[in-house]
Amino acid sequence: MSGRSKRESRGSTRGKRESESRSSSARVRRERDRERETEAPSSRGSPVRVKREVEPASAREALAPVVPAVRVKREREADEDSEPEREVRAKNGRMDSEDRRSRHCPYLDTINRSVLDFDFEKLCSISLSHINAYACLVCGKYFQGRGLKSHAYIHSVQFSHHVFLNLHTLKFYCLPDNYEIIDSSLEDITYVLKPTFTKQQIANLDKQAKLSRAYDGTTYLPGIVGLNNIKANDYANAVLQALSNVPPLRNYFLEEDNYKNIKRPPGDIMFLLVQRFGELMRKLWNPRNFKAHVSPHEMLQAVVLCSKKTFQITKQGDGVDFLSWFLNALHSALGGTKKKKKTIVTDVFQGSMRIFTKKLPHPDLPAEEKEQLLHNDEYQETMVESTFMYLTLDLPTAPLYKDEKEQLIIPQVPLFNILAKFNGITEKEYKTYKENFLKRFQLTKLPPYLIFCIKRFTKNNFFVEKNPTIVNFPITGQANGMNYKTSR
């Protein structure tokens, strides 16, 4: 009996242990299921997965009250990330790092400002395309695009040139990493590419003549800047420099808002002349240039295109013809007309005069017949009102013979003497192939700025002859005149 009772007591204790283990395992399973149900919403809202380890029941019971607070915090973070900016940052994943690199680009010290020249046409040096042109700020060359197969990307990988400037949007990029560079130290480069002037700066241009210093150390006076002679464009450079120093015209083109909203018909290329002249004007008066000279390459390309190759870079032209065409083309491109609509060009340079014309009989006719013809209406004097942009002055003929010392005398003439042509009294004969006319001119209105073109060159059957006569220009505030020997 004693042995049987011992076996029964052992069996009962074993059963109790098995039942307790079953109940404890069931309790563990229920707790795990409960934890999964409570953690499901937070795991859906957060993209981060947390690897959980099986912990003792006592530890789980101690952390049980902390779970709701963690869930609330995660839900708040999910709500904040639901904003558009947060979503972009979460999708890209590299947004924070790119912003950090944009402000701290390690390649800014590779920029070479001495080779930067933005005066030439903005096109890729390889594909010759104007679309998406970028300037390499290390070597100064232009390339297209910044994608994986673009010329700028290949250049950056091949030569380790990393800093590029978009010539249209004026934004800086680092290639091949392809992120935007944001740094205030690059503002001087964008100002050289596209100078801007405020109304206050324009008003002070004539009040303070302050020398500026270029990047290479040379000093220059803004507005008194040399234009490069590309090949044979010096005749156009002289006209462009003279026009850039006429204050009303200069002030108008220094501020782009004055003309950028002018409407032109579709396909009209003449407005390109206005844009390029404005860009050239701002570069000539830029006080922060990298060099003390400017290349009029883009301006002259617009001249070649708009004049249909009448005036070219590679061929010498006549300065007076170019001046006449340029002023009229500029007036037309700004929306002006011959009579009604005026522009800044006509406001500054246009004057008016009366032209009196009388037809003369043929010189070989007898005197009696000439007298009879003079009574006809055809030979009576007529008057026409006309406008002008400049006045052509004629010089007296140069002497043919040498003086006593076997030297040619170079005559001198005061400016007022050759201006007598327009006093309304002096008559001059003009000959055509068939007829002769006697004309006199009377000025009725003078423009604010008067342009004189002194006619020095005459063409005969053999060669072009230059008149070396010196014209004396009077100086304001002085009794005596100063001698100027005008050139072509």
Side-chain angles (χ1 to χ4, degrees):
M1 291 296 290
S2 63
R4 187 181 300 171
S5 62
K6 287 180 182 180
R7 283 194 296 271
E8 288 176 355
S9 63
R10 289 175 184 171
S12 61
T13 55
R14 190 183 297 113
K16 289 179 181 180
R17 289 175 183 172
E18 289 177 357
S19 63
E20 287 177 0
S21 64
R22 289 194 199 99
S23 62
S24 63
S25 62
R27 187 167 62 252
V28 170
R29 289 195 201 96
R30 285 195 298 270
E31 288 176 356
R32 286 181 180 175
D33 294 338
R34 196 179 298 113
E35 286 177 359
R36 288 172 184 171
E37 289 176 359
T38 57
E39 291 172 2
S42 62
S43 63
R44 292 190 199 100
S46 175
V48 182
R49 292 183 179 180
V50 180
K51 185 177 180 181
R52 298 184 176 273
E53 298 179 355
V54 178
E55 297 177 354
S58 60
R60 284 195 300 271
E61 290 174 359
L63 292 174
V66 184
V67 172
V70 174
R71 184 168 65 251
V72 171
K73 184 177 180 181
R74 287 177 179 173
E75 288 175 355
R76 287 177 182 172
E77 291 176 356
D79 292 338
E80 291 174 359
D81 288 339
S82 64
E83 296 175 4
E85 295 180 359
R86 302 282 184 178
E87 288 179 356
V88 172
R89 185 176 299 177
K91 289 179 181 178
N92 294 339
R94 296 189 309 168
M95 198 72 175
D96 292 338
S97 61
E98 284 186 0
D99 286 346
R100 219 175 294 118
R101 288 185 298 173
S102 296
R103 298 287 182 180
H104 303 89
C105 181
Y107 301 110
L108 294 184
D109 58 343
T110 63
I111 297 175
N112 187 3
R113 286 172 170 79
S114 61
V115 299
L116 299 183
D117 189 355
F118 301 119
D119 294 341
F120 291 91
E121 191 176 6
K122 311 298 187 296
L123 53 83
C124 176
S125 58
I126 298 176
S127 64
L128 303 181
S129 172
H130 296 83
I131 303 172
N132 291 335
Y134 288 79
C136 174
L137 302 185
V138 182
C139 63
K141 295 180 181 178
Y142 296 164
F143 298 97
Q144 184 182 17
R146 55 186 174 91
L148 291 178
K149 296 183 179 179
S150 64
H151 299 296
Y153 185 93
I154 295 171
H155 176 77
S156 69
V157 174
Q158 185 176 3
F159 296 97
S160 297
H161 294 176
H162 301 288
V163 188
F164 289 79
L165 168 63
N166 189 309
L167 297 172
H168 301 288
T169 63
L170 305 183
K171 292 183 178 181
F172 296 89
Y173 294 92
C174 181
L175 297 180
D177 296 338
N178 200 9
Y179 61 85
E180 184 180 355
I181 301 173
I182 303 172
D183 197 290
S184 59
S185 65
L186 303 176
E187 192 269 337
D188 61 331
I189 298 177
T190 56
Y191 193 86
V192 170
L193 174 59
K194 191 174 181 180
T196 54
F197 291 83
T198 63
K199 292 184 178 180
Q200 185 64 32
Q201 290 173 333
I202 295 173
N204 293 333
L205 284 177
D206 295 325
K207 296 179 182 178
Q208 27 182 304
K210 184 179 179 182
L211 287 173
S212 298
R213 185 177 296 275
Y215 183 76
D216 58 359
T218 57
T219 57
Y220 67 95
L221 191 64
I224 314 298
V225 179
L227 287 175
N228 291 344
N229 188 13
I230 299 173
K231 190 169 184 181
N233 56 286
D234 49 345
Y235 70 97
N237 288 359
V239 173
L240 294 174
Q241 275 187 320
L243 294 178
S244 69
N245 283 276
V246 178
L249 190 71
R250 174 202 66 193
N251 297 348
Y252 180 85
F253 281 97
L254 284 181
E255 194 171 356
E256 191 177 2
D257 293 339
N258 290 331
Y259 59 84
K260 71 176 182 180
N261 295 324
I262 294 176
K263 295 182 180 180
R264 299 295 300 167
D268 182 33
I269 62 172
M270 295 303 292
F271 193 70
L272 182 65
L273 203 67
V274 177
Q275 293 175 326
R276 294 290 182 258
F277 186 61
E279 292 172 3
L280 179 65
M281 195 76 75
R282 289 189 288 273
K283 288 178 180 179
L284 286 172
W285 286 90
N286 183 7
R288 297 159 59 183
N289 269 330
F290 285 167
K291 54 189 185 305
H293 56 87
V294 175
S295 178
H297 187 263
E298 287 187 295
M299 176 72 227
L300 294 175
Q301 279 191 321
V303 167
V304 173
L305 179 65
C306 296
S307 68
K308 298 179 180 179
K309 297 185 178 181
T310 303
F311 303 100
Q312 299 185 24
I313 303 175
T314 58
K315 187 179 178 182
Q316 279 289 348
D318 185 80
V320 179
D321 293 342
F322 174 72
L323 174 68
S324 176
W325 172 84
F326 184 73
L327 290 179
N328 286 286
L330 209 60
H331 170 66
S332 175
L334 289 170
T337 57
K338 288 186 177 180
K339 293 183 179 180
K340 294 183 179 180
K341 196 170 181 181
K342 294 186 176 182
T343 62
I344 184 65
V345 178
T346 54
D347 290 342
V348 174
F349 297 115
Q350 190 179 74
S352 61
M353 67 169 69
R354 293 181 184 142
I355 304 175
F356 300 90
T357 307
K358 183 192 293 186
K359 186 178 179 181
L360 297 177
H362 197 278
D364 296 335
L365 294 176
E368 295 179 357
E369 190 173 348
K370 287 181 182 180
E371 291 181 3
Q372 291 178 356
L373 291 174
L374 290 176
H375 294 290
N376 296 343
D377 293 339
E378 183 183 358
Y379 291 89
Q380 299 302 312
E381 188 177 61
T382 58
M383 188 270 290
V384 177
E385 291 277 353
S386 178
T387 58
F388 65 89
M389 292 285 190
Y390 62 91
L391 298 178
T392 303
L393 305 180
D394 302 317
L395 291 175
T397 55
L400 297 176
Y401 303 102
K402 296 181 180 181
D403 61 0
E404 299 174 352
K405 298 180 180 179
E406 296 296 324
Q407 294 179 354
L408 286 174
I409 301 173
I410 300 178
Q412 299 185 24
V413 57
L415 178 64
F416 297 111
N417 288 11
I418 57 178
L419 277 174
K421 171 184 177 181
F422 299 98
N423 60 7
I425 301 173
T426 305
E427 294 181 334
K428 185 178 180 181
E429 186 176 353
Y430 291 86
K431 297 181 180 180
T432 61
Y433 181 70
K434 292 183 179 180
E435 300 170 334
N436 297 341
F437 294 93
L438 202 63
K439 291 186 177 183
R440 58 190 177 94
F441 307 92
Q442 182 181 10
L443 298 178
T444 56
K445 179 187 174 183
L446 287 175
Y449 290 83
L450 187 60
I451 302 176
F452 293 142
C453 294
I454 300 174
K455 192 175 180 181
R456 289 191 174 277
F457 295 89
T458 54
K459 188 176 182 180
N460 53 34
N461 295 331
F462 303 101
F463 57 90
V464 177
E465 186 177 5
K466 180 181 178 180
N467 191 331
T469 302
I470 298 173
V471 179
N472 296 327
F473 287 82
I475 303 299
T476 304
Q478 294 184 9
N480 298 326
M482 183 176 285
N483 295 337
Y484 288 93
K485 187 172 180 180
T486 55
S487 60
R488 184 173 185 177

